[in-house]
Amino acid sequence: MKPFRRITARVAPLRRANVDTDAIIPKQFLKSIRRTGFGPYLFDEWRYLNRGEPDMDCASRPLNRDFVLNQPCYHGAQILLAGENFGCGSSREHAPWALSDYGFRVIIAPSFADIFYANCLKNGLLPIALDNAQVSALFNQVGPGYRLEVDLETQTITTPYGEKIPFALDASRKFRLLNGLDDIDLTLRQADAISAYERRRAQDAPWLFQHELSDFPR
Amino acid sequence: MISLPFPIDLNAATSGFPVAAMSPKTLYDKLWDEHLISRAADGSCLLYIDRHLLHEVTSPQAFEGLRLAGRKPWRVAANLAVADHNVPTTERFRGIDDPVSRLQVETLDRNCAEFGIKEFAMSDPQQGIVHVIGPEQGATLPGMTVVCGDSHTSTHGAFGALAFGIGTSEVEHVLATQCLVQRKAGNMLIKVEGDVGRGVTAKDIVLAIIGRIGTAGGTGHTIEFAGSAIRALSMEGRMTVCNMAIEAGARAGLIAVDETTLAYVKGRPFAPQGEQLWEQAVAAWKQLVSDEDAVFDKVVAIDASSIKPQVTWGTSPEMVVAVDAVVPDPADEADVVKREGAKRALQYMDVHPGTPITRIYLDKIFIGSCTNSRIEDLRDAAAIVRGKTLAKNIKQALVVPGSGPVKRQAEQEGLDQVFIEAGFEWREPGCSMCLAMNADRLEAGERCASTSNRNFEGRQGYGGRTHLVSPAMAAAAAIHGHFVDVRSI
């Protein structure tokens, strides 16, 4: 995973509530068996005026000029400012993959759907939940040339006016993100505890170990 | 090795918190504590996973990750895989036409063969939607932790199992470690007391709940559904309710174990076999209820008798009203972001404030999905359809059973003929037009009465318009060409 420490970057505003993961990356792109290459199809149905298909060359597709990411002043934005319950719906990790592949590193919103939030943090994408008033204030400030600094170490956002906004993140998630650490390696440090639990569980709830599914004929 | 900046308590599960252990627990607390391996100082926990379900869309990158790291599944026997999202629902013997879909399904077959994972392949008679086959096979049992790379894993909570959707990185994590790193969510109780009226189903109950609390109403919480109206539901109805907990923002929904649960589970292929083991399991499962004085962080009470058949009018499941209501006016919405969202939804859906729901005409009908594709759903729909024919304006009406066993059961009961004679198409099991990853989809501008779970923009096809309803309501709309109140039939 790509470590995250600090960025100063352009901010793209997307003021809609309940942006779902179907909107972030439509289903036809989920047929890919890779983790990369989703960026050109991010927000596909809002970004383009025709229907997207996997492996399409997006350079020649008609753009929806009204959509925020198509406005030149927001090109290269690495911070997405969004509405409440961002990332709701399907658990598809293709959503953070698409956001990250497009170039986003941070999403700021009043709230996130739980699965999406967890998925972001596994992909070097930092979801920051601020309260409604703070997000509203940022929406009022954002515009062409507007940049924010996001520092994970100190857990602060700094506005161009020097205002510092603290944000919350679990210590363990912060640690993993700062160091770009693989969760599996960290968990496997507890392999003995997992094995011990499994032995205990096999005793307490033997019915859970009665059927070895892999033994059934394929 | 980088040392961890936060201490991990490996004895959290066993020594733990004596005071907390004595205080009353919710069902969620019990399931959580039972699966807890360790707890870090910042509250992140390592949770053991009893059952891992896999499908073709969210697993390929996870298997690839295992291979790249040279890892093996921790406990192969805990995994069960099935191809459902991409599979065609017609002429299955021909295989999959779309090469990209085909590659994804073949990749699942290959990955399961390589790692020794039990799979119901596309041609298997038991194949079906992952959230239908888990319970049907008894692979989902009370007291388990059940995860799957699919948000509708909340379905399995109907069994008093802690079940939730995960992302692909977590799929890889479960494969490699049989555990997940999780933070405990809050406890939310939704009590639906009283009797629902005739024609009101589990789908209407859960849509009414979402209409009341909103799509973020359960965010950060596990919802336990309780009350006499929930207890009166069959297991299939309970699955419908828990299925849509995610549409209320909650990763997991739960319903306490009772005799209905036990009767459903008994005798299923992967359920405990042998009288002694069964009795031992039942004794443990009977504990899977919230203690009487358990404390919830949030409580919502709903009067079941007030619930009418529900129809969504917009592009979020919370945009829902009763069938005898009209499309609401965004001008009545105080919140500016919500108002704009409602306006955009009306525009996308091409419906207008003040229009009676019963004057909304449909183009297509979809009866299926992990929400409503089980035998009772098909019986409900068939009861409305029997002896009638599709309205002229209905271009296509699909019935897609949730699994091979559901399909065969329906055929034994002659339901397939009821649908076919009325003009419906009787299909092979799969996710189908719920998310249109296969060839079943809406064309731009088409309007569909759907028994699925999401009415998002483009969900059932680019530019398609979805109204979520119960199977009976979808069937009635198919016959009349527009929504009708099933209570009047």
mmCIF file of all heavy atoms in Angstrom, chain B residues 93-119:
data_model
loop_
_atom_site.group_PDB
_atom_site.id
_atom_site.type_symbol
_atom_site.label_atom_id
_atom_site.label_comp_id
_atom_site.label_asym_id
_atom_site.label_seq_id
_atom_site.Cartn_x
_atom_site.Cartn_y
_atom_site.Cartn_z
ATOM 1 N N PHE B 93 -26.232 -23.559 -21.188
ATOM 2 C CA PHE B 93 -25.356 -24.574 -21.810
ATOM 3 C C PHE B 93 -24.418 -23.952 -22.824
ATOM 4 O O PHE B 93 -23.380 -24.512 -23.144
ATOM 5 C CB PHE B 93 -26.219 -25.661 -22.480
ATOM 6 C CG PHE B 93 -27.142 -25.138 -23.525
ATOM 7 C CD1 PHE B 93 -26.709 -25.014 -24.843
ATOM 8 C CD2 PHE B 93 -28.449 -24.733 -23.208
ATOM 9 C CE1 PHE B 93 -27.567 -24.503 -25.820
ATOM 10 C CE2 PHE B 93 -29.303 -24.218 -24.177
ATOM 11 C CZ PHE B 93 -28.859 -24.104 -25.488
ATOM 12 N N ARG B 94 -24.795 -22.770 -23.363
ATOM 13 C CA ARG B 94 -23.932 -22.116 -24.356
ATOM 14 C C ARG B 94 -22.739 -21.409 -23.726
ATOM 15 O O ARG B 94 -21.867 -20.906 -24.446
ATOM 16 C CB ARG B 94 -24.732 -21.087 -25.155
ATOM 17 C CG ARG B 94 -25.733 -21.696 -26.135
ATOM 18 C CD ARG B 94 -26.499 -20.608 -26.860
ATOM 19 N NE ARG B 94 -25.611 -19.593 -27.397
ATOM 20 C CZ ARG B 94 -25.903 -18.292 -27.480
ATOM 21 N NH1 ARG B 94 -27.053 -17.859 -27.049
ATOM 22 N NH2 ARG B 94 -25.037 -17.449 -27.979
ATOM 23 N N GLY B 95 -22.713 -21.341 -22.399
ATOM 24 C CA GLY B 95 -21.638 -20.617 -21.743
ATOM 25 C C GLY B 95 -21.932 -19.124 -21.740
ATOM 26 O O GLY B 95 -23.066 -18.709 -21.968
ATOM 27 N N ILE B 96 -20.900 -18.305 -21.472
ATOM 28 C CA ILE B 96 -21.087 -16.860 -21.350
ATOM 29 C C ILE B 96 -20.565 -16.178 -22.617
ATOM 30 O O ILE B 96 -19.406 -16.355 -22.990
ATOM 31 C CB ILE B 96 -20.333 -16.319 -20.110
ATOM 32 C CG1 ILE B 96 -20.794 -17.075 -18.853
ATOM 33 C CG2 ILE B 96 -20.543 -14.834 -19.953
ATOM 34 C CD1 ILE B 96 -20.050 -16.682 -17.587
ATOM 35 N N ASP B 97 -21.436 -15.399 -23.263
ATOM 36 C CA ASP B 97 -21.041 -14.722 -24.505
ATOM 37 C C ASP B 97 -19.996 -13.626 -24.264
ATOM 38 O O ASP B 97 -19.001 -13.544 -24.967
ATOM 39 C CB ASP B 97 -22.274 -14.073 -25.173
ATOM 40 C CG ASP B 97 -23.175 -15.126 -25.792
ATOM 41 O OD1 ASP B 97 -22.670 -16.240 -26.073
ATOM 42 O OD2 ASP B 97 -24.376 -14.845 -25.998
ATOM 43 N N ASP B 98 -20.256 -12.786 -23.274
ATOM 44 C CA ASP B 98 -19.362 -11.649 -23.024
ATOM 45 C C ASP B 98 -18.000 -12.177 -22.543
ATOM 46 O O ASP B 98 -17.906 -12.798 -21.483
ATOM 47 C CB ASP B 98 -20.009 -10.753 -21.961
ATOM 48 C CG ASP B 98 -19.120 -9.587 -21.548
ATOM 49 O OD1 ASP B 98 -17.984 -9.487 -22.041
ATOM 50 O OD2 ASP B 98 -19.567 -8.783 -20.709
ATOM 51 N N PRO B 99 -16.939 -11.923 -23.320
ATOM 52 C CA PRO B 99 -15.639 -12.503 -22.954
ATOM 53 C C PRO B 99 -15.099 -11.992 -21.623
ATOM 54 O O PRO B 99 -14.399 -12.722 -20.911
ATOM 55 C CB PRO B 99 -14.714 -12.079 -24.107
ATOM 56 C CG PRO B 99 -15.410 -10.960 -24.807
ATOM 57 C CD PRO B 99 -16.879 -11.129 -24.562
ATOM 58 N N VAL B 100 -15.450 -10.744 -21.274
ATOM 59 C CA VAL B 100 -14.937 -10.186 -20.008
ATOM 60 C C VAL B 100 -15.628 -10.867 -18.825
ATOM 61 O O VAL B 100 -14.988 -11.229 -17.836
ATOM 62 C CB VAL B 100 -15.139 -8.650 -19.947
ATOM 63 C CG1 VAL B 100 -14.299 -8.056 -18.846
ATOM 64 C CG2 VAL B 100 -14.828 -7.997 -21.275
ATOM 65 N N SER B 101 -16.941 -11.071 -18.936
ATOM 66 C CA SER B 101 -17.672 -11.788 -17.893
ATOM 67 C C SER B 101 -17.184 -13.232 -17.788
ATOM 68 O O SER B 101 -17.024 -13.771 -16.699
ATOM 69 C CB SER B 101 -19.175 -11.817 -18.207
ATOM 70 O OG SER B 101 -19.748 -10.555 -17.993
ATOM 71 N N ARG B 102 -16.977 -13.818 -18.958
ATOM 72 C CA ARG B 102 -16.559 -15.223 -18.973
ATOM 73 C C ARG B 102 -15.219 -15.390 -18.262
ATOM 74 O O ARG B 102 -15.033 -16.286 -17.445
ATOM 75 C CB ARG B 102 -16.469 -15.734 -20.411
ATOM 76 C CG ARG B 102 -16.209 -17.246 -20.506
ATOM 77 C CD ARG B 102 -16.406 -17.753 -21.915
ATOM 78 N NE ARG B 102 -15.438 -17.166 -22.825
ATOM 79 C CZ ARG B 102 -15.741 -16.538 -23.959
ATOM 80 N NH1 ARG B 102 -16.989 -16.420 -24.343
ATOM 81 N NH2 ARG B 102 -14.796 -16.016 -24.717
ATOM 82 N N LEU B 103 -14.306 -14.472 -18.550
ATOM 83 C CA LEU B 103 -12.985 -14.548 -17.925
ATOM 84 C C LEU B 103 -13.114 -14.455 -16.400
ATOM 85 O O LEU B 103 -12.446 -15.192 -15.661
ATOM 86 C CB LEU B 103 -12.078 -13.420 -18.438
ATOM 87 C CG LEU B 103 -10.697 -13.348 -17.776
ATOM 88 C CD1 LEU B 103 -9.878 -14.608 -18.068
ATOM 89 C CD2 LEU B 103 -9.924 -12.109 -18.236
ATOM 90 N N GLN B 104 -14.011 -13.599 -15.932
ATOM 91 C CA GLN B 104 -14.147 -13.432 -14.484
ATOM 92 C C GLN B 104 -14.700 -14.708 -13.833
ATOM 93 O O GLN B 104 -14.222 -15.127 -12.780
ATOM 94 C CB GLN B 104 -15.056 -12.242 -14.188
ATOM 95 C CG GLN B 104 -14.899 -11.749 -12.777
ATOM 96 C CD GLN B 104 -15.540 -10.397 -12.555
ATOM 97 O OE1 GLN B 104 -16.699 -10.195 -12.859
ATOM 98 N NE2 GLN B 104 -14.775 -9.472 -12.012
ATOM 99 N N VAL B 105 -15.670 -15.325 -14.466
ATOM 100 C CA VAL B 105 -16.246 -16.559 -13.923
ATOM 101 C C VAL B 105 -15.216 -17.695 -13.996
ATOM 102 O O VAL B 105 -15.053 -18.468 -13.042
ATOM 103 C CB VAL B 105 -17.560 -16.914 -14.661
ATOM 104 C CG1 VAL B 105 -18.041 -18.303 -14.277
ATOM 105 C CG2 VAL B 105 -18.633 -15.873 -14.347
ATOM 106 N N GLU B 106 -14.509 -17.768 -15.114
ATOM 107 C CA GLU B 106 -13.476 -18.811 -15.243
ATOM 108 C C GLU B 106 -12.338 -18.597 -14.246
ATOM 109 O O GLU B 106 -11.742 -19.550 -13.759
ATOM 110 C CB GLU B 106 -12.925 -18.834 -16.671
ATOM 111 C CG GLU B 106 -13.908 -19.429 -17.663
ATOM 112 C CD GLU B 106 -13.478 -19.261 -19.122
ATOM 113 O OE1 GLU B 106 -12.436 -18.609 -19.383
ATOM 114 O OE2 GLU B 106 -14.195 -19.782 -19.994
ATOM 115 N N THR B 107 -12.080 -17.341 -13.957
ATOM 116 C CA THR B 107 -11.029 -17.035 -12.977
ATOM 117 C C THR B 107 -11.426 -17.566 -11.599
ATOM 118 O O THR B 107 -10.591 -18.113 -10.873
ATOM 119 C CB THR B 107 -10.760 -15.513 -12.939
ATOM 120 O OG1 THR B 107 -10.375 -15.100 -14.249
ATOM 121 C CG2 THR B 107 -9.650 -15.161 -11.958
ATOM 122 N N LEU B 108 -12.710 -17.436 -11.255
ATOM 123 C CA LEU B 108 -13.166 -17.982 -9.971
ATOM 124 C C LEU B 108 -13.011 -19.505 -9.968
ATOM 125 O O LEU B 108 -12.513 -20.085 -8.996
ATOM 126 C CB LEU B 108 -14.629 -17.602 -9.702
ATOM 127 C CG LEU B 108 -15.193 -18.147 -8.381
ATOM 128 C CD1 LEU B 108 -14.534 -17.474 -7.183
ATOM 129 C CD2 LEU B 108 -16.711 -17.966 -8.293
ATOM 130 N N ASP B 109 -13.429 -20.148 -11.063
ATOM 131 C CA ASP B 109 -13.285 -21.615 -11.153
ATOM 132 C C ASP B 109 -11.825 -22.015 -10.945
ATOM 133 O O ASP B 109 -11.517 -22.930 -10.186
ATOM 134 C CB ASP B 109 -13.737 -22.122 -12.536
ATOM 135 C CG ASP B 109 -15.224 -21.896 -12.783
ATOM 136 O OD1 ASP B 109 -15.951 -21.634 -11.819
ATOM 137 O OD2 ASP B 109 -15.638 -21.974 -13.966
ATOM 138 N N ARG B 110 -10.944 -21.295 -11.646
ATOM 139 C CA ARG B 110 -9.511 -21.632 -11.565
ATOM 140 C C ARG B 110 -8.963 -21.406 -10.168
ATOM 141 O O ARG B 110 -8.212 -22.219 -9.636
ATOM 142 C CB ARG B 110 -8.719 -20.771 -12.564
ATOM 143 C CG ARG B 110 -8.438 -21.454 -13.892
ATOM 144 C CD ARG B 110 -7.241 -20.825 -14.601
ATOM 145 N NE ARG B 110 -7.345 -19.375 -14.679
ATOM 146 C CZ ARG B 110 -8.064 -18.733 -15.622
ATOM 147 N NH1 ARG B 110 -8.712 -19.419 -16.545
ATOM 148 N NH2 ARG B 110 -8.124 -17.425 -15.637
ATOM 149 N N ASN B 111 -9.344 -20.268 -9.575
ATOM 150 C CA ASN B 111 -8.840 -19.956 -8.231
ATOM 151 C C ASN B 111 -9.321 -20.984 -7.207
ATOM 152 O O ASN B 111 -8.559 -21.405 -6.331
ATOM 153 C CB ASN B 111 -9.272 -18.555 -7.807
ATOM 154 C CG ASN B 111 -8.432 -17.472 -8.479
ATOM 155 O OD1 ASN B 111 -7.239 -17.691 -8.751
ATOM 156 N ND2 ASN B 111 -9.030 -16.340 -8.759
ATOM 157 N N CYS B 112 -10.585 -21.397 -7.319
ATOM 158 C CA CYS B 112 -11.109 -22.378 -6.372
ATOM 159 C C CYS B 112 -10.413 -23.725 -6.565
ATOM 160 O O CYS B 112 -10.089 -24.410 -5.586
ATOM 161 C CB CYS B 112 -12.620 -22.524 -6.532
ATOM 162 S SG CYS B 112 -13.502 -21.075 -5.941
ATOM 163 N N ALA B 113 -10.162 -24.092 -7.814
ATOM 164 C CA ALA B 113 -9.460 -25.348 -8.076
ATOM 165 C C ALA B 113 -8.036 -25.279 -7.517
ATOM 166 O O ALA B 113 -7.576 -26.206 -6.834
ATOM 167 C CB ALA B 113 -9.424 -25.619 -9.579
ATOM 168 N N GLU B 114 -7.378 -24.168 -7.762
ATOM 169 C CA GLU B 114 -5.983 -24.035 -7.316
ATOM 170 C C GLU B 114 -5.853 -24.079 -5.790
ATOM 171 O O GLU B 114 -4.959 -24.721 -5.252
ATOM 172 C CB GLU B 114 -5.396 -22.713 -7.843
ATOM 173 C CG GLU B 114 -3.951 -22.472 -7.397
ATOM 174 C CD GLU B 114 -3.425 -21.115 -7.844
ATOM 175 O OE1 GLU B 114 -3.960 -20.550 -8.827
ATOM 176 O OE2 GLU B 114 -2.477 -20.624 -7.204
ATOM 177 N N PHE B 115 -6.783 -23.422 -5.100
ATOM 178 C CA PHE B 115 -6.650 -23.341 -3.647
ATOM 179 C C PHE B 115 -7.497 -24.385 -2.914
ATOM 180 O O PHE B 115 -7.515 -24.416 -1.691
ATOM 181 C CB PHE B 115 -6.997 -21.932 -3.160
ATOM 182 C CG PHE B 115 -5.977 -20.892 -3.572
ATOM 183 C CD1 PHE B 115 -6.213 -20.043 -4.638
ATOM 184 C CD2 PHE B 115 -4.759 -20.799 -2.902
ATOM 185 C CE1 PHE B 115 -5.269 -19.093 -5.018
ATOM 186 C CE2 PHE B 115 -3.810 -19.853 -3.270
ATOM 187 C CZ PHE B 115 -4.061 -18.997 -4.341
ATOM 188 N N GLY B 116 -8.228 -25.210 -3.662
ATOM 189 C CA GLY B 116 -9.007 -26.287 -3.046
ATOM 190 C C GLY B 116 -10.285 -25.835 -2.380
ATOM 191 O O GLY B 116 -10.766 -26.460 -1.427
ATOM 192 N N ILE B 117 -10.861 -24.752 -2.867
ATOM 193 C CA ILE B 117 -12.074 -24.200 -2.243
ATOM 194 C C ILE B 117 -13.325 -24.790 -2.875
ATOM 195 O O ILE B 117 -13.418 -24.912 -4.094
ATOM 196 C CB ILE B 117 -12.056 -22.655 -2.369
ATOM 197 C CG1 ILE B 117 -10.985 -22.097 -1.421
ATOM 198 C CG2 ILE B 117 -13.431 -22.054 -2.086
ATOM 199 C CD1 ILE B 117 -10.704 -20.639 -1.587
ATOM 200 N N LYS B 118 -14.263 -25.167 -2.038
ATOM 201 C CA LYS B 118 -15.541 -25.713 -2.501
ATOM 202 C C LYS B 118 -16.283 -24.636 -3.297
ATOM 203 O O LYS B 118 -16.486 -23.519 -2.818
ATOM 204 C CB LYS B 118 -16.376 -26.127 -1.279
ATOM 205 C CG LYS B 118 -17.825 -26.428 -1.553
ATOM 206 C CD LYS B 118 -18.017 -27.767 -2.194
ATOM 207 C CE LYS B 118 -19.493 -28.024 -2.499
ATOM 208 N NZ LYS B 118 -19.647 -29.129 -3.456
ATOM 209 N N GLU B 119 -16.690 -25.008 -4.519
ATOM 210 C CA GLU B 119 -17.375 -24.028 -5.370
ATOM 211 C C GLU B 119 -18.620 -24.649 -6.006
ATOM 212 O O GLU B 119 -18.592 -25.801 -6.432
ATOM 213 C CB GLU B 119 -16.439 -23.550 -6.495
ATOM 214 C CG GLU B 119 -17.073 -22.468 -7.368
ATOM 215 C CD GLU B 119 -16.416 -22.313 -8.741
ATOM 216 O OE1 GLU B 119 -15.641 -23.199 -9.148
ATOM 217 O OE2 GLU B 119 -16.727 -21.312 -9.414
#
